[in-house]
Amino acid sequence: MNIAKWPVAGERERELIEMVLNSPQWGGFHEIIGRFEQQFSAYQQCRYGLSTFNGTVSLEMMLQVVGIGAGDEVIVPAISFISTATAVSRSGATPVFVDIEPYSFNLDPGRVAAAITPKTRAILAVHFGGPLCAIDRIAGLAREHELFLFEDAAHAHGSEWSGKRAGSFGLAGSFSFQNGKVLTAGEGGMVTTNDEAFYQQCRSFANQGRQPGASFFHHFTLSSNLRMTALQAAVLVAQLERLDRDIELRRSNEEFIRRELAGIPGLVWQAIPDQVNRRSHYLLLGRIDAKAFGMSRDAFHAHTVERGIPCTPFYPHTLYQNPLYAEGGCRVEPCPVAEACIQDAFWFPHRLLMSERETIEELVFTVKHMAGASQPCV
Ligand SMILES: Cc1ncc(COP(=O)(O)O)c(C=O)c1O
């Protein structure tokens, strides 16, 4: 099948990279970095953006800058990429793994409420696959219990909840521009915020504890070098110019797939809350009820891959089932939904949704055929 390739670069990336290469500054002090920070944070409806070299260190920075550390607990979903949890552990705090909702793949606010203790300092909410988690209820809990709310928005470039974009709900949001993300420079990250003091702390933290106006060799706090390079920013400025068009293409293809495959017994797509009026379409997630579908998730995965369709059989375990947490270092709430998803969920990557309509029709035909369902789609 003729699946779209990712990542892709155009003339604009080449032009901006050339501009950087012709300058004496390839590192973290070129003006294009500030330009990208300004453009991307505005895109996410935030006043400030602080870029980093990846989305793992941006998560770590968010937590460390506010002083989260030993003795604190931070609530995270049981399903996410490992960085969501390790950012908490590396700050010295304890990740508390909480279950997700049955079909949204996102934090269950009822279970978040039940997991809050006097030790809880923050909630780190993930927008898994692109649609926002139930952010209004989670933000309400954070307010009620005086907790920091952080968003791991690594999947949620351009995603909205009632017209408000990811990364603008809590104190800060963290984005990733890693190779598979919908906006990429191979690696890259950013923290977005509306809080000026927090932003200034992040700017200093990512820049070896320097302070504006002070000498280059004066360092005021124990910090690190997390600076994005000018080459990364050049690629990202170019990619951002295409993001709206790419989102629209993915939206249209996902809508077609969902419409054509609606009603196939045992195939349930990710539930999208009504308030999610726009999303990145980073992953097309689903769950297979083997009995109703007539095939297990693993067989579904094997068949799709055999036919040239990129498909991932979900994560092999919940975050807390990783070897890293096998000996402890975390608190685990009951997570029956997360554990069930490990057995029956799958995702298609966003590049599939960027393929020609002919290819999308082939995918629909293949899945219908697998389900033993109706006629080929035309
Ligand atoms: C949910 C989530 N958070 C954080 C990250 C880490 O980002 P990075 O790979 O840029 O370090 C990723 C993945 O890449 C992710 O999927």
Side-chain angles (χ1 to χ4, degrees):
M1 276 172 66
N2 193 15
I3 310 290
K5 293 190 173 39
W6 189 264
V8 287
E11 272 315 302
R12 185 71 172 138
E13 277 90 340
R14 291 184 176 83
E15 178 197 326
L16 291 173
I17 286 176
E18 182 87 20
M19 186 267 288
V20 171
L21 292 178
N22 288 335
S23 81
Q25 177 56 261
W26 296 2
F29 298 103
H30 192 288
E31 69 75 26
I32 198 161
I33 297 160
R35 200 192 321 171
F36 178 62
E37 288 174 339
Q38 195 280 322
Q39 288 177 351
F40 185 72
S41 56
Y43 187 78
Q44 296 302 139
Q45 301 175 346
C46 289
R47 268 201 286 281
Y48 308 102
L50 198 278
S51 58
T52 62
F53 57 79
N54 67 48
T56 298
V57 292
S58 59
L59 281 172
E60 294 175 3
M61 175 172 71
M62 282 193 316
L63 301 178
Q64 288 175 27
V65 156
V66 298
I68 284 173
D72 297 332
E73 290 184 346
V74 178
I75 291 175
V76 298
I79 295 296
S80 184
F81 183 65
I82 191 68
S83 308
T84 312
T86 52
V88 177
S89 302
R90 284 173 58 83
S91 76
T94 302
V96 176
F97 295 105
V98 168
D99 208 3
I100 54 173
E101 298 167 321
Y103 292 101
S104 77
F105 295 93
N106 274 319
L107 266 179
D108 182 330
R111 291 184 180 262
V112 171
I116 294 171
T117 72
K119 288 184 177 173
T120 312
R121 285 285 305 285
I123 303 170
L124 178 49
V126 178
H127 306 310
F128 199 74
L132 272 75
C133 64
I135 194 73
D136 49 358
R137 289 182 61 197
I138 291 173
L141 285 170
R143 266 194 307 277
E144 186 187 328
H145 295 272
E146 297 183 10
L147 309 175
F148 290 111
L149 172 62
F150 295 109
E151 293 168 72
D152 181 343
H155 299 182
H157 315 69
S159 298
E160 293 181 3
W161 180 275
S162 299
K164 194 165 148 56
R165 293 211 172 164
S168 69
F169 286 86
L171 176 59
S174 169
F175 289 82
S176 164
F177 309 116
Q178 167 270 340
N179 207 59
K181 300 297 183 288
V182 298
L183 189 64
T184 185
E187 304 286 355
M190 191 175 304
V191 167
T192 55
T193 183
N194 284 309
D195 185 306
E196 187 180 356
F198 174 80
Y199 162 72
Q200 293 297 355
Q201 280 177 287
C202 288
R203 178 158 291 293
S204 179
F205 185 91
N207 190 20
Q208 290 143 325
R210 294 190 175 94
Q211 284 185 2
S215 136
F216 193 77
F217 295 114
H218 274 69
H219 307 275
F220 295 86
T221 51
L222 181 61
S223 303
S224 193
N225 173 4
L226 311 185
R227 294 188 302 272
M228 173 180 276
T229 71
L231 291 161
Q232 286 173 295
V235 174
L236 289 164
V237 165
Q239 299 254 317
L240 185 57
E241 290 169 6
R242 291 197 302 267
L243 184 56
D244 282 339
R245 191 202 65 187
D246 290 351
I247 285 178
E248 176 49 28
L249 175 61
R250 291 193 291 271
R251 184 203 62 74
S252 151
N253 280 330
E254 179 170 335
E255 203 174 281
F256 180 83
I257 293 170
R258 283 180 180 248
R259 195 173 58 239
E260 290 295 319
L261 296 178
I264 289 191
L267 173 60
V268 185
W269 299 110
Q270 181 174 27
I272 311 297
D274 289 343
Q275 296 92 329
V276 175
N277 52 292
R278 188 177 194 268
R279 55 202 164 95
S280 58
H281 299 270
Y282 173 58
L283 301 176
L284 177 54
L285 282 145
R287 295 182 68 181
I288 300 275
D289 174 342
K291 220 165 150 203
F293 189 75
M295 184 184 279
S296 69
R297 185 277 312 271
D298 289 342
F300 174 86
H301 168 250
H303 275 70
T304 48
V305 169
E306 204 173 278
R307 282 159 184 75
I309 301 165
C311 177
T312 301
F314 211 61
Y315 291 123
H317 36 51
T318 64
L319 281 176
Y320 56 82
Q321 290 165 336
N322 263 289
L324 168 63
Y325 291 112
E327 304 300 321
C330 59
R331 186 157 72 76
V332 183
E333 291 282 303
C335 295
V337 177
E339 291 183 16
C341 287
I342 298 303
Q343 306 301 323
D344 66 18
F346 69 93
W347 69 67
F348 294 127
H350 68 93
R351 72 185 178 93
L352 177 67
L353 298 174
M354 298 189 66
S355 307
E356 300 286 338
R357 187 49 72 85
E358 212 179 19
T359 304
I360 301 293
E361 286 173 355
E362 269 184 75
L363 164 79
V364 163
F365 174 80
T366 304
V367 175
K368 276 186 178 172
H369 190 74
M370 281 161 60
S374 56
Q375 294 304 303
C377 136
V378 282

